[in-house]
Amino acid sequence: MKGLLPFCRGLYTLSNPQARRKAGVVCSQCGFCGTVSNRKPQPRFGLLFDIDGVLVRGRMPIPAAKKAFQKLVNSRGQFVVPVVFVTNAGNCLRQKKADQMSHVLGVPITMDQIIMSHSPLRMFKKYHDKCVLVSGQGPVLDIAKNLGFENVVSIDMLRESFPLLDMVDHNRRPKLPSAAVGHLPNVEAVILFGEPIRWETHLQLIVDVLLTHGNLSGAHHSPTRAHLPLLACNMDLLWMAEAQSPRFGHGTFLVCLENIYKKITGRDLKYEALMGKPSELTYHFAEYLIRGQAIERQWKHPVTSLYAIGDNLMTDIYGANLYNRYLEERVKGRSHKAVTKMAATTTTTTATASPQEGELDHPWAGELALPSATSCKSLLVCTGVYNPSTEAASSSSSSSSANQHIRENVFHGHRDFRFDPELVEPDHVVLDVNEAIDLIFHKENFVP
């Protein structure tokens, strides 16, 4: 049942012998004597956690997060279920994010459990040897090289080589007439990691690169041919930090770039790929990591169910439901390409939710293989971007009124993802991540 969560905590006691046997907590011979089995329960499900608004707000941990994760590890600090953190953040390396989460949650997290919005770029190998311009903040050059890109140029490098191009801030203009001083190679593709610090500089130089086809020594060309390949990570319009209201995310920067480009050229900006939530590719990559954890722990049962916990209807819930739709269509036997076309945009490009169509089958089938999961259920928490009043979030409120409130929201998703009310309707709404774990354990009859 979709909507607010009407459940009693007493239901978590598994009184049914068959359920207790499935969870591995009763005698396997009679099912009634209550003898605890030596056989450890093996999960058939995996957990996908958003970070901002679910586990932390800015640098402050959400109190329910630590309590939830105490239920997910055993006495040796090992996870009792496969866990992956799926964040649209992209301003640091995976190891740094893993260290941050280990500190916040008090449990050991490895970088193989972290998916940043840019993580799927590892599969775009045809760009790894090209000269790519990267935009964002943090160690963008290190991030790009860690992902496999060999020839990387930053916005700062362009600005230093072409000092006459960045003119919005009068205080940063050259004091004396100057010409181009650098000998950078022509840019062959543009990668947007996340929101930059000086938006006016990044917007100006990215548009310059697109309109000169990577040669900043020349003037703008009329857009008679397709612009350079553009790959963007993180489509969040808004995200939740310490402030009372959501803050601008990289999706807001993309809105600016798209509208400036169209105002200048009269044409739509085209993306080679959009990565991060709600991209189907990101969830497929997460399922791949979940599967790998199960294999590493030598759990015999395949992971057939995924649960995605997030705070943002337009990214976390939309993405989980989109991937669930993909999994359901796979079960029905449809071809991979047909499903991808259904899930992708209907406006500008069929590559918005995944790599270029010609490449589509190869990264997934070759590097990730087909998923073992058959469902991906979405759980919305009320501690982040979605934060209704206490009354609306309580179990006394009706599910229909909560869903009506969700459906009436303005669509904050990316331009290239069509709005479908069913995709922003969570399977469950819970107060926080701790209640989400309780609910999932109950639904799976899982007692660690």
Side-chain angles (χ1 to χ4, degrees):
M1 179 178 66
K2 297 201 173 191
L4 291 174
L5 172 64
F7 68 88
C8 169
R9 292 185 183 278
L11 292 176
Y12 296 126
T13 302
L14 299 180
S15 57
N16 182 283
Q18 185 177 359
R20 291 176 61 82
R21 187 185 303 113
K22 181 179 179 182
V25 297
V26 299
C27 174
S28 59
Q29 298 298 317
C30 68
F32 292 99
C33 68
T35 303
V36 176
S37 169
N38 291 327
R39 184 167 54 106
K40 295 180 180 179
Q42 295 193 359
R44 298 175 182 265
F45 64 98
L47 305 177
L48 313 182
F49 288 94
D50 179 36
I51 294 178
D52 293 301
V54 175
L55 305 177
V56 298
R57 285 182 62 165
R59 296 182 180 179
M60 298 299 294
I62 292 173
K66 235 174 188 179
K67 189 175 181 181
F69 272 77
Q70 289 171 356
K71 302 173 183 178
L72 296 177
V73 296
N74 60 23
S75 58
R76 292 178 290 177
Q78 297 175 312
F79 279 93
V80 295
V81 298
V83 167
V84 167
F85 301 86
V86 187
T87 176
N88 269 354
N91 58 353
C92 67
L93 296 168
R94 287 191 302 157
Q95 185 60 61
K96 182 177 180 180
K97 182 61 71 174
D99 293 341
Q100 290 173 352
M101 297 314 301
S102 296
H103 176 73
V104 166
L105 299 173
V107 298
I109 309 293
T110 69
M111 72 174 186
D112 291 330
Q113 292 176 282
I114 303 290
I115 296 181
M116 313 289 285
S117 60
H118 50 61
S119 294
L121 283 170
R122 296 176 183 277
M123 297 187 294
F124 287 76
K125 294 181 179 179
K126 76 173 188 177
Y127 295 110
H128 286 182
D129 62 349
K130 297 185 182 298
C131 178
V132 298
L133 170 67
V134 294
S135 167
Q137 59 180 290
V140 291
L141 297 178
D142 292 338
I143 293 170
K145 290 175 181 177
N146 184 262
L147 290 167
F149 295 94
E150 302 167 4
N151 191 1
V152 187
V153 175
S154 69
I155 293 290
D156 287 340
M157 292 166 65
L158 286 187
R159 185 178 174 276
E160 290 172 4
S161 295
F162 301 95
L164 295 178
L165 299 183
D166 182 20
M167 303 295 283
V168 173
D169 187 342
H170 290 214
N171 293 324
R172 299 220 304 171
R173 291 179 178 179
K175 304 303 180 185
L176 299 172
S178 57
V181 297
H183 301 283
L184 295 175
N186 287 357
V187 174
E188 298 173 278
V190 179
I191 298 175
L192 310 178
F193 282 137
E195 61 271 21
I197 295 175
R198 285 185 168 269
W199 285 29
E200 77 283 357
T201 299
H202 285 248
L203 290 168
Q204 177 71 76
L205 295 183
I206 291 169
V207 170
D208 284 338
V209 166
L210 295 175
L211 293 182
T212 61
H213 214 69
N215 180 14
L216 289 180
S217 298
H220 289 182
H221 302 299
S222 298
T224 55
R225 56 174 173 164
H227 60 68
L228 293 176
L230 180 64
L231 299 92
C233 311
N234 182 1
M235 294 162 273
D236 282 351
L237 187 77
L238 303 168
W239 69 287
M240 202 69 191
E242 291 96 337
Q244 294 296 313
S245 301
R247 304 291 87 195
F248 288 161
H250 191 220
T252 307
F253 178 82
L254 297 181
V255 169
C256 296
L257 179 62
E258 292 157 9
N259 282 278
I260 291 171
Y261 184 86
K262 185 163 187 176
K263 194 69 174 178
I264 292 174
T265 67
R267 295 169 179 256
D268 285 330
L269 189 70
K270 307 279 188 179
Y271 293 95
E272 185 82 357
L274 287 168
M275 280 155 284
K277 297 172 293 186
S279 164
E280 185 186 349
L281 176 59
T282 295
Y283 286 85
H284 196 86
F285 193 61
E287 193 274 346
Y288 166 75
L289 295 184
I290 289 284
R291 240 184 307 139
Q293 290 180 35
I295 293 172
E296 184 178 353
R297 293 292 300 277
Q298 297 182 336
W299 287 326
K300 295 179 181 179
H301 301 307
V303 174
T304 56
S305 299
L306 300 177
Y307 293 91
I309 305 168
D311 71 308
N312 193 325
L313 288 167
M314 305 303 168
T315 53
D316 303 313
I317 304 306
Y318 187 110
N321 290 342
L322 180 65
Y323 190 58
N324 184 66
R325 184 176 290 181
Y326 160 74
L327 294 174
E328 288 179 344
E329 294 298 332
R330 276 203 71 247
V331 172
K332 293 177 183 177
R334 288 192 182 183
S335 70
H336 177 74
K337 184 173 290 188
V339 174
T340 303
K341 285 184 178 180
M342 173 202 69
T345 179
T346 58
T347 53
T348 58
T349 171
T350 57
T352 54
S354 44
Q356 194 175 8
E357 184 175 333
E359 281 193 311
L360 198 54
D361 292 329
H362 301 295
W364 286 25
E367 295 194 35
L368 300 188
L370 293 175
S372 64
T374 57
S375 70
C376 180
K377 299 304 180 185
S378 56
L379 289 86
L380 179 67
V381 299
C382 302
T383 51
V385 172
Y386 181 77
N387 190 12
S389 64
T390 304
E391 291 78 15
S394 68
S395 59
S396 61
S397 299
S398 68
S399 298
S400 59
S401 63
N403 286 341
Q404 184 66 23
H405 171 72
I406 289 171
R407 285 170 177 266
E408 289 177 352
N409 266 301
V410 176
F411 182 55
H412 289 165
H414 187 267
R415 176 199 71 183
D416 291 353
F417 284 78
R418 61 185 176 84
F419 176 66
D420 182 340
E422 291 185 0
L423 292 179
V424 295
E425 185 179 349
D427 291 292
H428 302 279
V429 182
V430 292
L431 289 177
D432 54 40
V433 65
N434 187 49
E435 284 201 3
I437 297 304
D438 286 345
L439 172 63
I440 294 167
F441 279 9
H442 168 61
K443 289 181 68 67
E444 292 290 330
N445 291 331
F446 185 76
V447 180

